[in-house]
């Protein structure tokens, strides 16, 4: 309902407000395809009006929502976009460069596009910054790691992929490499993954990873090592799935 109210007024927004609007919806994991079509049409002729933050925000927002048609995609991310990225190359913050890297993964690898890319030098710098940006390991993540080790899965932690993503743990399960992501409260709005979490999961799966997310509330439900092993078996045997919670033990 909110997206429907915003769409007719998009043309009244300046470039930075336009980018912020897209970012708010994308961050919340709310794709709103009709709204993003309007934002794309408004963005295409105005790429030169965006500052570094606005350009990174709107690029990341389209990547996170992944709703644009091929025609709309090319309209926004043509040669003007690549040139504008390079014009601002010395201004981006580290967060903005990470956003641009995720946009490149989406645009070039997920959507198979090559036109309108910024310079190779900027792409490399963005990838380097993205790969060096890692969150501090949480207590929850350490608990999961200790449990994986106790189950003799020999977890490797903070594994860096070729594309720059850091995986919380990687284990070998029945001859397959499995990535395990431990997702605390900051990854969700309520119990729905936020836009950043959805984007990372989608891109890792596109890159071929068998991904096992462990939401914090599911982990908290696992009362003992036996129950954790049952859950581990269910998760690892289901490609791309979130483990169904084990049955609660009766008191």
């Amino acid at each position: 309902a909110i997206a429907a109210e915003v769409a007719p007024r998009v043309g009244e927004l300046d470039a930075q407000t336009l980018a912020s609007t897209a970012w708010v919806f994308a961050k919340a994991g709310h794709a709103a395809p009709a709204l993003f079509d309007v934002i794309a049409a408004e963005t295409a002729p105005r790429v030169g009006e965006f500052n570094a933050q606005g350009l990174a925000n709107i690029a990341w927002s389209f990547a996170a929502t992944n709703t644009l048609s091929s025609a709309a995609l090319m309209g926004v991310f043509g040669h003007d976009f690549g040139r504008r990225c390079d014009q601002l190359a010395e201004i981006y913050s580290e967060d903005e460069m990470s956003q641009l890297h995720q946009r490149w993964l989406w645009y070039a690898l997920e959507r198979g596009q090559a036109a309108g890319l910024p310079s190779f030098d900027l792409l490399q710098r963005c990838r380097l910054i993205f790969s060096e940006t890692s969150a501090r390991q949480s207590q929850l993540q350490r608990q999961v790691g200790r449990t994986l080790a106790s189950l003799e899965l020999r977890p490797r932690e903070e594994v860096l992929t070729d594309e720059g993503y850091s995986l919380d743990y990687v284990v070998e399960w029945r001859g397959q490499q499995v990535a395990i992501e431990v997702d605390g409260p900051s990854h969700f709005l309520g119990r729905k993954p936020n836009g950043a979490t959805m984007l990372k999961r989608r891109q890792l799966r596109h890159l071929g990873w068998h991904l096992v997310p462990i939401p914090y509330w599911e982990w908290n439900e696992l009362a003992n090592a036996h129950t954790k092993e049952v859950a581990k078996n269910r998760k690892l045997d289901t490609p791309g799935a979130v483990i169904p919670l084990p049955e609660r033990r009766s008191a």
Side-chain angles (χ1 to χ4, degrees):
I2 296 176
E5 292 181 11
V6 172
R9 300 161 61 184
V10 162
E12 304 169 11
L13 305 178
D14 62 43
Q16 310 322 317
T17 306
L18 186 65
S20 296
T21 300
W23 182 86
V24 166
F25 278 89
K27 184 69 173 175
H30 186 44
L35 174 60
F36 274 85
D37 283 346
V38 175
I39 291 175
E42 190 65 29
T43 299
R46 300 173 60 186
V47 167
E49 299 177 24
F50 290 91
N51 62 20
Q53 182 184 43
L55 198 69
N57 277 348
I58 203 139
W60 182 88
S61 299
F62 285 124
T65 53
N66 192 31
T67 62
L68 292 187
S69 66
S70 296
L73 193 72
M74 290 306 300
V76 176
F77 296 114
H79 293 290
D80 288 346
F81 182 88
R83 281 193 292 269
R84 186 58 175 160
C85 284
D86 286 331
Q87 288 171 357
L88 301 171
E90 303 305 318
I91 302 175
Y92 298 118
S93 68
E94 291 188 356
D95 284 345
E96 289 157 4
M97 294 180 81
S98 291
Q99 287 180 307
L100 289 174
H101 180 69
Q102 287 184 297
R103 175 263 173 184
W104 175 79
L105 291 178
W106 164 68
Y107 183 73
L109 301 188
E110 290 191 77
R111 300 297 295 267
Q113 301 294 328
L117 290 175
S119 66
F120 179 76
D121 178 67
L122 180 57
L123 290 174
Q124 290 297 98
R125 287 171 53 205
C126 288
R127 185 207 173 280
L128 180 63
I129 291 296
F130 181 76
S131 65
E132 291 178 345
T133 303
S134 59
R136 182 178 300 176
Q137 195 177 61
S138 67
Q139 181 178 354
L140 174 64
Q141 186 176 335
R142 289 192 292 271
Q143 289 175 356
V144 172
R146 287 194 294 268
T147 300
L148 292 171
S150 73
L151 297 172
E152 300 183 353
L153 287 172
R154 301 183 195 177
R156 292 180 289 138
E157 62 183 64
E158 302 301 337
V159 175
L160 188 66
T161 72
D162 291 340
E163 297 77 21
Y165 271 115
S166 178
L167 307 174
D168 290 344
Y169 295 104
V170 173
V171 300
E172 184 172 335
W173 179 250
R174 298 183 179 177
Q176 183 176 20
Q177 295 295 301
V178 177
I180 297 175
E181 285 289 290
V182 183
D183 292 336
S186 65
H187 292 262
F188 300 92
L189 295 173
R191 290 195 172 183
K192 176 188 174 185
N194 61 29
T197 301
M198 293 169 66
L199 175 60
K200 182 176 183 179
R201 290 181 181 179
R202 192 189 77 228
Q203 291 192 330
L204 287 174
R205 285 172 175 145
H206 179 82
L207 294 168
W209 283 96
H210 178 152
L211 179 65
V212 176
I214 301 182
Y216 68 96
W217 67 85
E218 287 192 11
W219 186 257
N220 293 338
E221 291 282 347
L222 306 180
N224 55 50
H226 172 72
T227 307
K228 287 186 173 72
E229 184 161 12
V230 170
K232 177 263 294 183
N233 289 337
R234 289 180 182 174
K235 267 190 182 283
L236 298 179
D237 283 335
T238 307
V242 174
I243 297 184
L245 287 173
E247 293 182 3
R248 294 172 183 262
R249 299 176 57 146
S250 56

